[in-house]
Amino acid sequence: MTIGSFLLVGLLLLQHTCADNPNVIAANLSTTITANVTATFQKTFFFLLDSDVVSKKPVRISAKALNASVHNPLIVTARQILGVTSFTIPLNDEGYQIYNRVARTLCPQWNVPKSDVKLFLAVDVSSSENVRREFQLRADYVDNFELIENQKITANVTPSTPMYFRYKFKPTQLDGPVLVRVTSDSDTCATISVQSDMCPIHDLMYDIEYDGIFQSMTRLAAITVTPGFGSSGRKDFVVVVVVHPTDYTCEHLGHELLDQIRLNSSKPDPGPKPVPLFNQRKNVIISVETTMTYREYIFPTLITVGLLLIIYLLAYVGTILETEKFIRGFNLGEFEYQNMSDGEAEAGVSRTESSLSDTSDYTESNGLLSRANQEIASAEEAVKSAPTDYGATTGYRRHKTQDSMGSVDYCEDLNEVLEIRRTKVELNVADLSVHSNDYKYRLYQWNLIPIAIFYALPVIQLVAGIQLIVHFTGNQDICYYNYLCSRPLGVVQQFNNIFSNIGYVLLGILFLLIVKHRDTKYQAAVKEKPILGKKYGLPQHNGIYYSVGFSLCMEGLLSASYHVCPTGYNFQFDSTFMYLMAGLLMLKIYQLRHPDVNPHAYTAYIFLSFTVLIEVVGVYLQTIYFWITFAAVYIVATLYFTSHMYYMGVISLDCGIFARISHFFRTDFLSSPKPLYMDRFVFLILVVTLNFAAAIMGVVVQPSDFPSFLLAVFLINLLAYFAYYVIMKFIHGEYPYPITIFCGFLTMVTWICALYFYFSTVTNWQLPAALSRVKNTECLVLDFYDNHDVWHIISSMALFFGFVTVLTLDDHLLNKPRNEIRVF
């Protein structure tokens, strides 16, 4: 028998039953029915349906209890061909509030074949009490059930009256996603779910998360849906709106365990029970909008790559031109010793060094002067007259001589002499570039590679796992995206946020190529004239430059990893190599004129790793005790680094550090009318004041975004030291080449633009997901990039231009003897 035959038989039985049984009632749609039931007499209402209408519009039933109690509610059961729906009235929603009126949209009868025979809907109402309970019942077709592209539907929803609407993809839309936008002028908490158009539809608080994609919502929800997104692979979907009985879900972060760790609580504290909010009602406006197709992604991606390739081209031309100037600086015709051989030139420079190293450069109040006057002459003479050999692995020169006692090692004498030299009032680069430091600085780049690999692999593994969890659970409250500018690709929800990091990678590679090109040209020139690498210009150690360029590439990779699922608890992925770049760049600027004083690679990386450890602790443990401890460590570290800079590395970190600091303080400050090194003193006083203020501000204000606070500290110190370096260059009559000034100008302009977009936030993971989505905005550029994507692109350019500025900052000194280049 066909379905039509079954329906015909059912209708005949229905007519016979209604005639013989008064508790079986034939009812009409769009009519309010008032009746009563007891435990022994239940009522069954049959509604005749039009098969042509019901295939397009589902039926919505509404029931209201007039005198039933929550302890003995009425049970309403609706039976259709393709499903059964039941609920109770009054409804006790999660124990917070009682609702006498309940409305549910029944499962649409989409798969029932069209027939001339009428369909029917049976609604049973029963009670468990012998007391007569009255109720009202009504069934209606749902008008405006179909969502139409770029048209809005308004709905009024309460916790007991959830609603959903259907959207059908057009054949022309099957190659791209659509955006489901739900807006409201109310802060009432709700959940928006997108599910496949298959029965059953989960439209209750306890089951809405069982299928599809869902978001919590206050004023905005935005879900990007691709054809065939669900597990069933169906192309069409329904949009479900459920209002919460309380606003707890939208006002809390949803990471109870992590929140407890941050509160430093040993036992979970559930906090006060959410207070029931009466009249929880929400007016929502639902619309479905078309977005970019996958093919349309090609244009903005090509534009981005093309812009970066233009920078490549300009950098190539600029590098060729500047390299020629760079190499022309080595033309011996420009040097003072143009008519001498290499040996004669070296001897001449040595004589100049000797004259500049005379004790007249010392100040009598210097604590090391008395011993220096007695020992420096004999020690230097022994060092210069002894034969030399070079350690193959250390790069340090060791001096040996023979006497009756055997071999005598003059390495300690050399270090003592160098330590005395550093205390001169007026230092030159020749005083601080005695050692062969090339291997020392090469370790920066080779140590960074395994560090980056071991750091990046777990990061990629973790974020890939989180993305799969988000994809399969459908919970879009986990990741903080700009959902109004979501451009998905495969399982990746926010492809545009990931792709916009390509600038860091490509420009990092470009910087590495520029450094390599300059390094090759320089080594070729030095090979032809070795005196150039020993006595002229600043020592060209490029290990830190290679590390900075590699860090820029890694920043792009890890920033992309972070944006796979951005949250507050993996933000360190995005900021770790920012710390590295800031720290390495400060070290590089300092190393330019202090190559013998700069720390070893392992010391620098241990310090930077300790910084990352503090950052991670600060994410989870932002208590007053943490901030006090952090401020104390911060202040001690500031004092040590400023002392190290003031005394050019004489203050070393060991057991005698406090005795040395006390000694220098007495001899240099208490017994002297003014500081020995006035320019350094003024700068370091400003640095100490700035950093002490930051430490105190941390304790008083306790910023909730600790990683950004720590990164700001690094960047401010970097900017302060760079400004000091540039000012001192101009004071000493050193004027950079135009290319340096031009790159510095580009750095300033791009940083101003980048910071504008950075502070124009479109998400905030310090807020619950529902409140963060209120900040979401439309795409800003090419209908593909939002504010944060523009920050990625422009900041990568700003970093690149800044690196080139530092790289070329002292190119004009290449033809100047090192003993004439001042240290500051």
Side-chain angles (χ1 to χ4, degrees):
M1 298 178 63
T2 63
I3 293 179
S5 302
F6 279 114
L7 294 176
L8 180 59
V9 173
L11 288 174
L12 294 175
L13 293 174
L14 173 62
Q15 292 177 350
H16 177 75
T17 303
C18 292
D20 296 340
N21 188 350
N23 292 325
V24 179
I25 303 169
N28 296 322
L29 294 170
S30 303
T31 301
T32 302
I33 302 169
T34 303
N36 57 73
V37 292
T38 64
T40 56
F41 295 99
Q42 74 172 20
K43 290 287 194 301
T44 300
F45 300 90
F46 283 93
F47 296 88
L48 297 180
L49 307 176
D50 189 329
S51 61
D52 291 335
V53 178
V54 80
S55 62
K56 301 176 183 178
K57 298 180 181 180
V59 176
R60 183 174 177 84
I61 61 173
S62 173
K64 181 178 181 181
L66 299 180
N67 61 351
S69 66
V70 69
H71 301 291
N72 294 284
L74 302 180
I75 301 173
V76 180
T77 303
R79 293 176 285 124
Q80 300 180 101
I81 296 288
L82 297 180
V84 176
T85 302
S86 64
F87 54 87
T88 61
I89 49 172
L91 174 66
N92 186 5
D93 197 345
E94 297 185 0
Y96 296 125
Q97 190 172 351
I98 298 172
Y99 303 93
N100 288 320
R101 179 178 177 274
V102 178
R104 297 287 300 280
T105 301
L106 304 182
C107 190
Q109 307 296 290
W110 291 317
N111 296 327
V112 176
K114 294 183 180 181
S115 172
D116 294 336
V117 179
K118 298 290 185 179
L119 303 178
F120 64 89
L121 164 67
V123 180
D124 302 325
V125 182
S126 59
S127 174
S128 59
E129 290 184 294
N130 286 323
V131 180
R132 193 178 298 274
R133 299 298 185 184
E134 294 187 355
F135 65 90
Q136 291 180 343
L137 181 68
R138 182 184 176 94
D140 300 275
Y141 289 121
V142 178
D143 295 324
N144 299 322
F145 179 70
E146 296 285 345
L147 290 167
I148 301 174
E149 179 183 325
N150 299 324
Q151 292 187 14
K152 299 178 180 179
I153 290 181
T154 302
N156 189 296
V157 189
T158 67
S160 64
T161 60
M163 300 186 71
Y164 60 86
F165 303 88
R166 180 194 189 194
Y167 180 80
K168 297 180 65 176
F169 276 100
K170 297 178 181 179
T172 57
Q173 293 178 315
L174 299 183
D175 61 342
V178 295
L179 175 67
V180 176
R181 186 198 300 256
V182 183
T183 58
S184 175
D185 58 359
S186 168
D187 290 324
T188 301
C189 186
T191 293
I192 309 300
S193 174
V194 173
Q195 305 172 23
S196 298
D197 61 340
M198 292 180 61
C199 296
I201 304 297
H202 304 286
D203 62 346
L204 298 175
M205 277 297 304
Y206 66 84
D207 68 357
I208 192 171
E209 300 178 1
Y210 288 176
D211 187 29
I213 309 169
F214 60 91
Q215 295 178 0
S216 58
M217 171 196 174
T218 54
R219 292 180 177 266
L220 173 68
I223 300 177
T224 302
V225 186
T226 58
F229 77 98
S231 58
S232 64
R234 292 176 64 89
K235 298 180 177 62
D236 305 331
F237 60 86
V238 294
V239 180
V240 185
V241 183
V242 175
V243 174
H244 294 232
T246 72
D247 292 337
Y248 181 87
T249 301
C250 295
E251 294 176 350
H252 291 76
L253 288 173
H255 302 290
E256 288 79 6
L257 177 60
L258 296 177
D259 291 340
Q260 291 304 321
I261 295 176
R262 293 185 65 173
L263 294 173
N264 196 24
S265 174
S266 57
K267 295 182 179 180
D269 180 13
K273 184 178 180 180
V275 179
L277 302 174
F278 296 97
N279 298 320
Q280 283 282 84
R281 185 178 298 274
K282 194 174 189 69
N283 290 313
V284 297
I285 300 174
I286 306 171
S287 62
V288 177
E289 306 165 8
T290 57
T291 61
M292 297 183 71
T293 64
Y294 298 129
R295 291 183 179 180
E296 292 173 332
Y297 288 6
I298 298 175
F299 179 71
T301 55
L302 290 180
I303 289 292
T304 306
V305 174
L307 177 62
L308 296 173
L309 290 179
I310 291 175
I311 297 178
Y312 262 73
L313 179 62
L314 295 177
Y316 174 77
V317 174
T319 301
I320 296 299
L321 296 178
E322 286 303 310
T323 301
E324 293 302 321
K325 183 184 296 184
F326 183 81
I327 299 304
R328 283 200 305 270
F330 290 139
N331 186 347
L332 287 183
E334 300 180 14
F335 290 116
E336 177 183 356
Y337 309 106
Q338 54 182 324
N339 297 321
M340 301 181 183
S341 64
D342 287 350
E344 293 172 332
E346 186 170 354
V349 177
S350 298
R351 287 193 297 272
T352 307
E353 287 182 6
S354 178
S355 64
L356 290 175
S357 300
D358 190 76
T359 54
S360 61
D361 289 339
Y362 289 82
T363 302
E364 289 297 332
S365 60
N366 191 327
L368 293 177
L369 179 60
S370 59
R371 190 166 60 124
N373 288 333
Q374 299 172 10
E375 300 180 3
I376 188 171
S378 60
E380 285 188 326
E381 183 63 29
V383 167
K384 292 178 180 179
S385 61
T388 63
D389 68 335
Y390 294 86
T393 58
T394 63
Y396 289 97
R397 179 178 295 183
R398 300 181 63 83
H399 307 265
K400 296 183 179 180
T401 186
Q402 300 290 330
D403 60 12
S404 60
M405 300 297 293
S407 177
V408 177
D409 195 342
Y410 285 92
C411 189
E412 293 183 0
D413 292 334
L414 175 61
N415 289 332
E416 190 172 332
V417 170
L418 297 180
E419 187 172 293
I420 295 171
R421 280 188 176 183
R422 296 174 194 169
T423 60
K424 291 167 53 179
V425 176
E426 293 186 0
L427 279 170
N428 56 67
V429 174
D431 293 325
L432 297 181
S433 58
V434 176
H435 291 305
S436 175
N437 290 302
D438 192 62
Y439 179 79
K440 171 184 175 181
Y441 292 111
R442 292 285 180 185
L443 287 177
Y444 273 88
Q445 68 198 67
W446 298 122
N447 286 352
L448 184 59
I449 293 174
I451 290 173
I453 292 174
F454 280 103
Y455 187 86
L457 286 179
V459 169
I460 297 173
Q461 195 172 15
L462 176 63
V463 296
I466 294 176
Q467 183 61 49
L468 290 176
I469 291 174
V470 173
H471 179 70
F472 287 112
T473 63
N475 185 356
Q476 295 199 347
D477 283 351
I478 297 176
C479 306
Y480 283 73
Y481 300 125
N482 178 12
Y483 288 94
L484 287 180
C485 186
S486 178
R487 299 294 179 259
L489 186 65
V491 298
V492 176
Q493 176 68 29
Q494 207 87 350
F495 172 72
N496 50 330
N497 282 172
I498 296 174
F499 182 79
S500 60
N501 289 282
I502 192 174
Y504 296 115
V505 178
L506 293 182
L507 294 179
I509 294 173
L510 176 59
F511 184 73
L512 290 173
L513 294 175
I514 293 174
V515 174
K516 180 62 177 177
H517 180 76
R518 288 166 55 94
D519 195 9
T520 302
K521 294 292 185 180
Y522 178 79
Q523 295 301 329
V526 169
K527 186 176 181 180
E528 181 180 353
K529 290 291 182 181
I531 184 64
L532 304 179
K534 295 179 180 179
K535 300 299 180 181
Y536 289 94
L538 299 181
Q540 299 296 306
H541 303 302
N542 292 309
I544 297 181
Y545 281 136
Y546 285 117
S547 300
V548 168
F550 184 70
S551 296
L552 185 57
C553 297
M554 290 303 301
E555 171 61 26
L557 176 63
L558 291 179
S559 178
S561 300
Y562 162 73
H563 284 90
V564 170
C565 182
T567 69
Y569 298 103
N570 63 357
F571 179 64
Q572 69 265 22
F573 301 161
D574 192 23
S575 58
T576 297
F577 276 84
M578 282 290 189
Y579 298 133
L580 276 173
M581 283 188 287
L584 289 173
L585 211 56
M586 279 190 283
L587 287 175
K588 182 58 192 179
I589 297 173
Y590 188 72
Q591 178 258 320
L592 290 173
R593 298 179 189 238
H594 310 78
D596 287 350
V597 184
N598 230 32
H600 292 274
Y602 60 83
T603 304
Y605 289 137
I606 287 175
F607 169 74
L608 292 171
S609 64
F610 181 70
T611 303
V612 176
L613 174 63
I614 293 177
E615 177 205 16
V616 174
V617 174
V619 170
Y620 297 100
L621 247 159
Q622 289 194 30
T623 64
I624 184 63
Y625 305 105
F626 165 78
W627 280 104
I628 292 175
T629 304
F630 167 75
V633 174
Y634 184 15
I635 289 173
V636 171
T638 300
L639 292 175
Y640 169 71
F641 286 122
T642 52
S643 301
H644 182 88
M645 292 181 65
Y646 185 76
Y647 289 108
M648 296 295 177
V650 175
I651 302 294
S652 57
L653 187 61
D654 54 25
C655 297
I657 182 173
F658 296 106
R660 282 192 297 275
I661 291 177
S662 175
H663 171 73
F664 283 127
F665 182 77
R666 291 195 308 270
T667 57
D668 291 353
F669 292 97
L670 297 183
S671 62
S672 177
K674 66 177 182 178
L676 290 178
Y677 318 110
M678 181 57 70
D679 51 354
R680 275 180 269 166
F681 178 79
V682 173
F683 166 67
L684 292 176
I685 284 294
L686 293 175
V687 169
V688 169
T689 303
L690 186 67
N691 284 277
F692 277 27
I696 295 171
M697 186 193 76
V699 175
V700 175
V701 180
Q702 298 183 26
S704 57
D705 186 2
F706 180 73
S708 296
F709 169 81
L710 194 58
L711 182 59
V713 168
F714 267 76
L715 295 178
I716 290 173
N717 279 277
L718 171 61
L719 181 62
Y721 186 56
F722 179 76
Y724 165 76
Y725 189 90
V726 173
I727 291 172
M728 293 301 294
K729 280 181 67 67
F730 281 100
I731 289 177
H732 289 87
E734 298 179 5
Y735 302 102
Y737 284 145
I739 185 64
T740 304
I741 298 174
F742 178 68
C743 288
F745 174 75
L746 290 179
T747 302
M748 181 179 64
V749 171
T750 49
W751 267 124
I752 292 174
C753 296
L755 290 174
Y756 169 80
F757 290 105
Y758 178 79
F759 289 110
S760 301
T761 56
V762 293
T763 61
N764 186 351
W765 42 255
Q766 299 179 64
L767 300 174
L771 300 180
S772 172
R773 261 187 290 275
V774 176
K775 302 173 71 67
N776 289 178
T777 60
E778 304 280 354
C779 293
L780 184 66
V781 178
L782 301 175
D783 197 28
F784 189 77
Y785 296 122
D786 64 9
N787 293 33
H788 199 72
D789 296 324
V790 177
W791 147 258
H792 284 162
I793 296 171
I794 299 181
S795 65
S796 66
M797 298 178 185
L799 288 169
F800 171 76
F801 292 136
F803 295 167
V804 175
T805 301
V806 176
L807 179 66
T808 60
L809 188 59
D810 292 308
D811 282 358
H812 61 288
L813 299 176
L814 287 170
N815 60 352
K816 189 172 184 179
R818 288 180 188 173
N819 51 32
E820 297 178 9
I821 302 175
R822 285 291 304 274
V823 170
F824 40 78

